[in-house]
């Protein structure tokens, strides 16, 4: 809960994400280290435990009310565009201080309970049983909150339940362990053991195993996100499998120690005994299982395909596939990690080190793992190299005496073999005849640009084409032009989300408009230069060069945090069609974010939120619409294009009454000064622009009906949207048709005192558009002109009878008639004559008849 809430104000940049995780671990380590010392010598550990649970619960309750105001203060300190160093510092320090009372108390609970149990088991083996029970509880916490509590009742109510569990644990501990106990610390069995040397080795071992264990998790999760769907459920499953593995390992170790008659750790001067040999064997086994996990990661695509083929297309099947991939990557290594941690901490206790200190050292190592592995290593040497280094370090921690010459040769041979033949773990799927133009592994995602045999370049994030291509200039440019044309005289525009940069670049072509474009991933900013050059017809890759258009300003920042921290006002703000199911994207559809955007608009400013209808179902769309209308009561809906495969819907909002002057819109469309005219993007006249509207505020209100509002505290979109991602309940063409049937629009709602003739033509245009999209469901592309005409001639001519102004029905018939003229001049003349009759104001058909006659 706290991790997701922290991302709402700190952003989703790598600095914020990893700093939050590190701060949480540091708090746990501080509590285990500082309070663990006092607990170790206390005769009332049960009261210590009860007190720590009470503090954790009390501070958790305080944070329910404090976290909002604290976030506003933190945002003020962070600023609009912080440097990486400042962002790391603020994110880490603010999170650490904000959570410290609770995390420190949490960190001390395990040492306190270990001390309580030590009166019952004097061999130190209670650590494994305690660790297993605590970790299994973590599994229940991850699964319970993600799949049940948060989707049902939201963050605050879930946090309140956690607080009640803290109170329950506190009361139960007083009841069970409230009496005074005697210390039952296990002492070293051999008084001649070189304890200083042994403790130094243990310290290094505890730090290193914490670092490498969480480092393996960070890198493996990044790799699996290339294959899995990267939703809130994906991450919960991955973490749950990781914790289940460590639980199994701790249980297995506990069972083994129970059956061992002597102490698990004995270290005689000058030679190894059974306990020390076990540690070496576990390290060697852990190195081997990490390599097996790497193979499991490499087989992820095959595992996913096999599970899908076996169980079919459903959310259950998709989650089962993700869980199976997690098992292949995590289970064996984490089983050994759980056993190794139990063994090392038991060794530490036997050597005289307190359990609290041992736990603190291991947690301290874990705190540095996201920074070292996620930020420093992975982007520079790749996932494969990082995952090969981890088993090497495990092997280096084994004692030299544990290696034979044959063992050293074998380990080196295996390492070299894996480096040469192990899978790359990039999962870049090239199209037939295609090539990789750009491939970057960033701290948060992998970004690539792939070009197919026809030269079409596509931008992929985490192995998914979700950010457009060089072939989508028409639709991407319309997503800029429609909102920009609706403002009477925009001077500054903000685009949230960059993608290929075609949308923002199209807006920046207007000579009087300055455009700021905010993008989370620096690798996407770098890749966007290739698309700008490709669209402009420039060959080659310029890397991270200055934008071709000096009016386009690219900003690398979290869009949500930027809106809340900037002091600039914008005439137009356009938010990209973010995939609502992807982790973190749902926060861009909350009422708090929509309200923050409203605060950045000028008095007559316009906000356009684009929505990918091909990536969300209608119930989720209703939730987003309900949320938008709650902030922008005077709102409208538009459709970007008439696409049936990738329909995109836009919500238009403004603070004051949003109705348009037809004359002003006509003048604005005619006066816009861009390199490419609006006509090139399907906006040749006023009807084409106004014809993009599909609903007014009253229709949107009815459409949203009783849907809940998506808020920061109750993020229903993040938990509802993945359903259609895992298993679509309908095709995009069916959704867009169902949506158009559910919405209504009236010219009097849209325009200020419209002329009767314009109202009539506009209403007919909307009717023709809906009929056009509906007819498109049954049309299949064909290369033969005659067969294509058999499909579309009758429906398109009937649409032109509804509205002769509807050019999307006129243009394809005109193109087919011209093509038909090469083989059937009489048939072509007949079709062109019909087009001239249906729309006499357009001259293209008559001109084609003259050319056909001249050529004959």
């Amino acid at each position: 809960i706290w991790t997701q809430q922290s991302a709402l104000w700190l952003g989703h940049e790598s600095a914020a994400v990893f700093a939050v995780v590190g701060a949480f671990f540091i708090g746990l380590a501080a509590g285990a280290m500082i309070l663990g010392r006092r607990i170790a010598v206390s005769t009332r550990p049960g009261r210590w435990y009860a007190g720590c649970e009470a503090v954790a619960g009390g501070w958790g309750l305080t944070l329910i009310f404090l976290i909002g105001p604290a976030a506003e203060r933190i945002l003020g300190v962070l600023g609009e565009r912080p440097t990486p160093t400042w962002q790391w510092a603020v994110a880490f320090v603010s999170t650490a201080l904000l959570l410290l009372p609770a995390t420190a108390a949490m960190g001390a609970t395990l040492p306190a309970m270990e001390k309580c149990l030590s009166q019952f088991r004097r061999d130190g083996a209670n650590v494994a049983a305690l660790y297993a029970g605590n970790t299994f509880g973590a599994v229940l916490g991850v699964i319970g909150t993600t799949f049940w509590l948060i989707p049902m009742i939201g963050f605050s109510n879930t946090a309140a339940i956690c607080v009640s569990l803290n109170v329950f644990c506190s009361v139960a501990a007083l009841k069970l362990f409230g009496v005074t106990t005697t210390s039952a610390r296990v002492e070293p069995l051999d008084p001649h053991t070189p304890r200083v040397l042994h403790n130094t080795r243990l310290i290094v071992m505890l730090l290193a195993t914490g670092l490498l264990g969480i480092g393996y998790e960070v890198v493996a999760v990044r790799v699996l996100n290339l294959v899995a769907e990267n939703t809130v459920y994906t991450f919960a499953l991955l973490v749950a499998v990781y914790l289940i593995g460590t639980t199994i390992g701790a249980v297995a170790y506990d069972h083994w120690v129970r059956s061992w008659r002597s102490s698990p750790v004995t270290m005689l001067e000058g030679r190894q005994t059974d306990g020390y040999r076990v540690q070496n064997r576990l390290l060697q086994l852990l190195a081997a299982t990490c390599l097996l996990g790497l193979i499991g990661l490499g087989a992820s695509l095959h595992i996913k395909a096999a599970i899908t083929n076996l169980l079919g297309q459903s959310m259950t099947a998709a989650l089962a596939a993700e869980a199976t991939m997690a098992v292949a990557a995590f289970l064996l290594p984490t089983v050994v990690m759980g056993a190794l941690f139990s063994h090392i901490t038991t060794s530490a206790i036997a050597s005289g080190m307190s359990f609290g200190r041992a736990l603190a050292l291991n947690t301290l190592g874990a705190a540095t793992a996201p920074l070292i592995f996620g930020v420093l290593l992975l982007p520079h040497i790749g996932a494969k190299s990082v995952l090969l280094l981890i088993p090497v370090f495990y092997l280096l921690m084994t004692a030299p005496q544990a290696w034979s010459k044959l063992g050293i040769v074998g380990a080196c041979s295996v390492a070299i073999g894996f480096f040469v033949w192990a899978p790359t773990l990039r999962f870049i799927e090239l199209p037939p005849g295609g090539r990789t133009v750009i491939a970057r592994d960033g701290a948060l995602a992998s970004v690539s640009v792939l070009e197919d045999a026809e030269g079409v370049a596509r931008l992929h994030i985490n192995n998914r084409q979700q950010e457009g291509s060089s072939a989508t200039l028409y639709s991407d440019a319309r997503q800029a032009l429609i909102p920009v044309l609706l403002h009477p005289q925009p001077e500054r525009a903000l685009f949230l989300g960059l993608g290929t940069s075609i949308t923002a670049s199209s807006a920046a072509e207007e000579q009087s408009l300055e455009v700021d474009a905010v993008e989370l991933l620096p690798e996407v900013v770098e890749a966007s230069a290739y698309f700008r050059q490709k669209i402009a017809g420039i060959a080659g890759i310029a890397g991270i060069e200055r934008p071709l258009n000096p009016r386009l300003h690219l900003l690398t920042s979290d869009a949500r945090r930027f809106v809340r921290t900037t002091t600039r006002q914008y005439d137009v703000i356009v938010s990209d069609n973010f995939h609502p199911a992807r982790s973190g994207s749902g926060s861009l559809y909350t009422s708090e974010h929509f309200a923050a955007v409203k605060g950045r608009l000028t008095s007559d400013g316009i906000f356009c939120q684009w929505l990918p209808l091909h990536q969300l179902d209608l119930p989720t769309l209703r939730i987003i619409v309900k949320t938008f209308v709650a902030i922008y009561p005077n709102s409208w809906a538009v459709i970007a294009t008439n696409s049936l495969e990738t329909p995109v819907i836009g919500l238009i909002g403004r603070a004051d009454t949003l109705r348009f002057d037809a004359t002003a819109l006509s003048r604005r469309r005619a006066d816009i000064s861009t390199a490419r005219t609006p006509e090139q993007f399907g906006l040749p006249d006023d009807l084409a622009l106004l014809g993009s509207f599909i609903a007014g505020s009253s229709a949107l209100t009815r459409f949203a009906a009783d849907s809940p509002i998506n808020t920061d505290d109750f993020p229903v979109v993040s938990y509802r949207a993945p359903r259609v991602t895992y298993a679509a309940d309908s095709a995009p063409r069916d959704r867009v048709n169902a949506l158009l049937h559910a919405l209504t629009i009236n010219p009097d709602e849209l325009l200020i005192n419209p002329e009767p003739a314009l109202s009539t033509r506009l209403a007919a245009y909307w009717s023709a558009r809906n009929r056009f999209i509906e007819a498109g469901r049954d049309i299949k592309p064909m290369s033969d002109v005659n067969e294509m005409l058999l499909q579309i001639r009758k429906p398109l001519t009937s649409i032109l009878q509804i509205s002769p102004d509807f050019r999307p029905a006129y243009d394809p018939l005109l193109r087919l008639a011209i093509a038909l003229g090469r083989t059937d001049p009489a048939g072509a003349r007949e079709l062109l004559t019909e087009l001239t009759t249906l729309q006499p104001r357009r001259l293209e058909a008559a001109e084609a008849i003259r050319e056909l006659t001249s050529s004959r």
Side-chain angles (χ1 to χ4, degrees), residues 112-131:
M113 186 54 66
E114 186 274 335
K115 182 65 182 294
C116 291
L117 296 180
S118 64
Q119 60 184 310
F120 304 108
R121 304 176 68 186
R122 295 176 174 272
D123 59 1
N126 56 286
V127 169
L130 180 61
Y131 179 59

mmCIF file of all heavy atoms in Angstrom, residues 112-131:
data_model
loop_
_atom_site.group_PDB
_atom_site.id
_atom_site.type_symbol
_atom_site.label_atom_id
_atom_site.label_comp_id
_atom_site.label_asym_id
_atom_site.label_seq_id
_atom_site.Cartn_x
_atom_site.Cartn_y
_atom_site.Cartn_z
ATOM 1 N N ALA A 112 12.203 -9.617 18.275
ATOM 2 C CA ALA A 112 11.467 -9.763 19.531
ATOM 3 C C ALA A 112 10.790 -11.129 19.608
ATOM 4 O O ALA A 112 10.827 -11.803 20.652
ATOM 5 C CB ALA A 112 10.429 -8.654 19.667
ATOM 6 N N MET A 113 10.180 -11.570 18.522
ATOM 7 C CA MET A 113 9.529 -12.867 18.536
ATOM 8 C C MET A 113 10.549 -13.994 18.621
ATOM 9 O O MET A 113 10.310 -15.028 19.264
ATOM 10 C CB MET A 113 8.661 -13.021 17.275
ATOM 11 C CG MET A 113 7.809 -14.283 17.258
ATOM 12 S SD MET A 113 6.752 -14.475 18.725
ATOM 13 C CE MET A 113 5.645 -13.083 18.522
ATOM 14 N N GLU A 114 11.706 -13.801 17.983
ATOM 15 C CA GLU A 114 12.762 -14.818 18.095
ATOM 16 C C GLU A 114 13.205 -14.972 19.546
ATOM 17 O O GLU A 114 13.436 -16.093 20.028
ATOM 18 C CB GLU A 114 13.942 -14.412 17.195
ATOM 19 C CG GLU A 114 15.047 -15.452 17.096
ATOM 20 C CD GLU A 114 16.070 -15.338 18.208
ATOM 21 O OE1 GLU A 114 16.207 -14.229 18.763
ATOM 22 O OE2 GLU A 114 16.734 -16.349 18.521
ATOM 23 N N LYS A 115 13.291 -13.851 20.253
ATOM 24 C CA LYS A 115 13.692 -13.925 21.662
ATOM 25 C C LYS A 115 12.599 -14.602 22.496
ATOM 26 O O LYS A 115 12.884 -15.377 23.415
ATOM 27 C CB LYS A 115 13.953 -12.513 22.188
ATOM 28 C CG LYS A 115 14.433 -12.452 23.640
ATOM 29 C CD LYS A 115 15.792 -13.091 23.791
ATOM 30 C CE LYS A 115 16.249 -13.076 25.242
ATOM 31 N NZ LYS A 115 16.479 -11.718 25.749
ATOM 32 N N CYS A 116 11.342 -14.334 22.149
ATOM 33 C CA CYS A 116 10.243 -15.001 22.864
ATOM 34 C C CYS A 116 10.308 -16.514 22.680
ATOM 35 O O CYS A 116 10.093 -17.287 23.628
ATOM 36 C CB CYS A 116 8.894 -14.487 22.360
ATOM 37 S SG CYS A 116 8.524 -12.779 22.806
ATOM 38 N N LEU A 117 10.606 -16.948 21.480
ATOM 39 C CA LEU A 117 10.618 -18.380 21.193
ATOM 40 C C LEU A 117 11.880 -19.075 21.687
ATOM 41 O O LEU A 117 11.912 -20.306 21.771
ATOM 42 C CB LEU A 117 10.471 -18.613 19.682
ATOM 43 C CG LEU A 117 9.157 -18.151 19.052
ATOM 44 C CD1 LEU A 117 9.153 -18.452 17.555
ATOM 45 C CD2 LEU A 117 7.965 -18.816 19.723
ATOM 46 N N SER A 118 12.932 -18.286 21.959
ATOM 47 C CA SER A 118 14.198 -18.907 22.360
ATOM 48 C C SER A 118 14.086 -19.654 23.677
ATOM 49 O O SER A 118 14.873 -20.546 23.953
ATOM 50 C CB SER A 118 15.293 -17.840 22.462
ATOM 51 O OG SER A 118 14.986 -16.910 23.500
ATOM 52 N N GLN A 119 13.081 -19.323 24.517
ATOM 53 C CA GLN A 119 12.921 -20.042 25.783
ATOM 54 C C GLN A 119 12.401 -21.457 25.558
ATOM 55 O O GLN A 119 12.523 -22.313 26.429
ATOM 56 C CB GLN A 119 11.962 -19.278 26.691
ATOM 57 C CG GLN A 119 10.569 -19.103 26.107
ATOM 58 C CD GLN A 119 9.672 -18.271 26.991
ATOM 59 O OE1 GLN A 119 9.570 -18.538 28.187
ATOM 60 N NE2 GLN A 119 9.035 -17.251 26.413
ATOM 61 N N PHE A 120 11.840 -21.690 24.371
ATOM 62 C CA PHE A 120 11.308 -23.020 24.071
ATOM 63 C C PHE A 120 12.300 -23.863 23.280
ATOM 64 O O PHE A 120 12.292 -25.085 23.376
ATOM 65 C CB PHE A 120 10.004 -22.910 23.279
ATOM 66 C CG PHE A 120 8.960 -22.088 23.966
ATOM 67 C CD1 PHE A 120 8.620 -20.829 23.491
ATOM 68 C CD2 PHE A 120 8.312 -22.561 25.106
ATOM 69 C CE1 PHE A 120 7.664 -20.066 24.125
ATOM 70 C CE2 PHE A 120 7.353 -21.797 25.736
ATOM 71 C CZ PHE A 120 7.020 -20.549 25.254
ATOM 72 N N ARG A 121 13.178 -23.228 22.481
ATOM 73 C CA ARG A 121 14.097 -23.969 21.638
ATOM 74 C C ARG A 121 15.468 -23.334 21.778
ATOM 75 O O ARG A 121 15.700 -22.223 21.316
ATOM 76 C CB ARG A 121 13.634 -23.936 20.175
ATOM 77 C CG ARG A 121 12.228 -24.462 19.996
ATOM 78 C CD ARG A 121 11.752 -24.334 18.573
ATOM 79 N NE ARG A 121 12.498 -25.220 17.691
ATOM 80 C CZ ARG A 121 12.370 -25.220 16.371
ATOM 81 N NH1 ARG A 121 11.546 -24.377 15.800
ATOM 82 N NH2 ARG A 121 13.070 -26.054 15.626
ATOM 83 N N ARG A 122 16.375 -24.029 22.350
ATOM 84 C CA ARG A 122 17.659 -23.453 22.713
ATOM 85 C C ARG A 122 18.762 -23.686 21.680
ATOM 86 O O ARG A 122 19.874 -23.265 21.882
ATOM 87 C CB ARG A 122 18.128 -24.026 24.063
ATOM 88 C CG ARG A 122 17.227 -23.624 25.209
ATOM 89 C CD ARG A 122 17.663 -24.288 26.511
ATOM 90 N NE ARG A 122 16.884 -23.791 27.619
ATOM 91 C CZ ARG A 122 17.195 -22.710 28.336
ATOM 92 N NH1 ARG A 122 18.275 -22.022 28.044
ATOM 93 N NH2 ARG A 122 16.430 -22.319 29.328
ATOM 94 N N ASP A 123 18.470 -24.355 20.593
ATOM 95 C CA ASP A 123 19.531 -24.639 19.630
ATOM 96 C C ASP A 123 19.642 -23.590 18.541
ATOM 97 O O ASP A 123 20.421 -23.717 17.621
ATOM 98 C CB ASP A 123 19.313 -26.007 18.988
ATOM 99 C CG ASP A 123 17.965 -26.096 18.268
ATOM 100 O OD1 ASP A 123 17.238 -25.089 18.262
ATOM 101 O OD2 ASP A 123 17.676 -27.173 17.708
ATOM 102 N N GLY A 124 18.842 -22.548 18.610
ATOM 103 C CA GLY A 124 18.911 -21.495 17.608
ATOM 104 C C GLY A 124 18.141 -21.799 16.346
ATOM 105 O O GLY A 124 18.024 -20.965 15.469
ATOM 106 N N ALA A 125 17.575 -23.000 16.239
ATOM 107 C CA ALA A 125 16.891 -23.369 15.005
ATOM 108 C C ALA A 125 15.524 -22.741 14.887
ATOM 109 O O ALA A 125 14.882 -22.868 13.856
ATOM 110 C CB ALA A 125 16.774 -24.889 14.925
ATOM 111 N N ASN A 126 15.048 -22.062 15.948
ATOM 112 C CA ASN A 126 13.743 -21.416 15.857
ATOM 113 C C ASN A 126 13.729 -20.299 14.817
ATOM 114 O O ASN A 126 12.676 -19.868 14.366
ATOM 115 C CB ASN A 126 13.330 -20.846 17.208
ATOM 116 C CG ASN A 126 14.371 -19.870 17.752
ATOM 117 O OD1 ASN A 126 15.426 -20.297 18.200
ATOM 118 N ND2 ASN A 126 14.080 -18.589 17.699
ATOM 119 N N VAL A 127 14.906 -19.809 14.415
ATOM 120 C CA VAL A 127 14.987 -18.758 13.404
ATOM 121 C C VAL A 127 14.327 -19.216 12.106
ATOM 122 O O VAL A 127 13.554 -18.489 11.488
ATOM 123 C CB VAL A 127 16.454 -18.365 13.162
ATOM 124 C CG1 VAL A 127 16.577 -17.482 11.929
ATOM 125 C CG2 VAL A 127 17.013 -17.649 14.380
ATOM 126 N N ALA A 128 14.622 -20.425 11.681
ATOM 127 C CA ALA A 128 14.078 -20.919 10.420
ATOM 128 C C ALA A 128 12.563 -21.024 10.489
ATOM 129 O O ALA A 128 11.859 -20.612 9.558
ATOM 130 C CB ALA A 128 14.695 -22.279 10.078
ATOM 131 N N ALA A 129 12.030 -21.579 11.580
ATOM 132 C CA ALA A 129 10.581 -21.710 11.704
ATOM 133 C C ALA A 129 9.914 -20.331 11.770
ATOM 134 O O ALA A 129 8.864 -20.106 11.147
ATOM 135 C CB ALA A 129 10.243 -22.520 12.956
ATOM 136 N N LEU A 130 10.531 -19.424 12.507
ATOM 137 C CA LEU A 130 9.980 -18.078 12.625
ATOM 138 C C LEU A 130 10.010 -17.356 11.280
ATOM 139 O O LEU A 130 9.034 -16.722 10.873
ATOM 140 C CB LEU A 130 10.782 -17.293 13.660
ATOM 141 C CG LEU A 130 10.336 -15.851 13.919
ATOM 142 C CD1 LEU A 130 8.921 -15.806 14.448
ATOM 143 C CD2 LEU A 130 11.299 -15.190 14.907
ATOM 144 N N TYR A 131 11.130 -17.471 10.584
ATOM 145 C CA TYR A 131 11.277 -16.830 9.279
ATOM 146 C C TYR A 131 10.277 -17.408 8.287
ATOM 147 O O TYR A 131 9.663 -16.678 7.496
ATOM 148 C CB TYR A 131 12.708 -17.033 8.780
ATOM 149 C CG TYR A 131 12.986 -16.427 7.433
ATOM 150 C CD1 TYR A 131 12.824 -15.065 7.201
ATOM 151 C CD2 TYR A 131 13.436 -17.223 6.378
ATOM 152 C CE1 TYR A 131 13.090 -14.509 5.958
ATOM 153 C CE2 TYR A 131 13.712 -16.672 5.130
ATOM 154 C CZ TYR A 131 13.540 -15.324 4.926
ATOM 155 O OH TYR A 131 13.801 -14.781 3.694
#
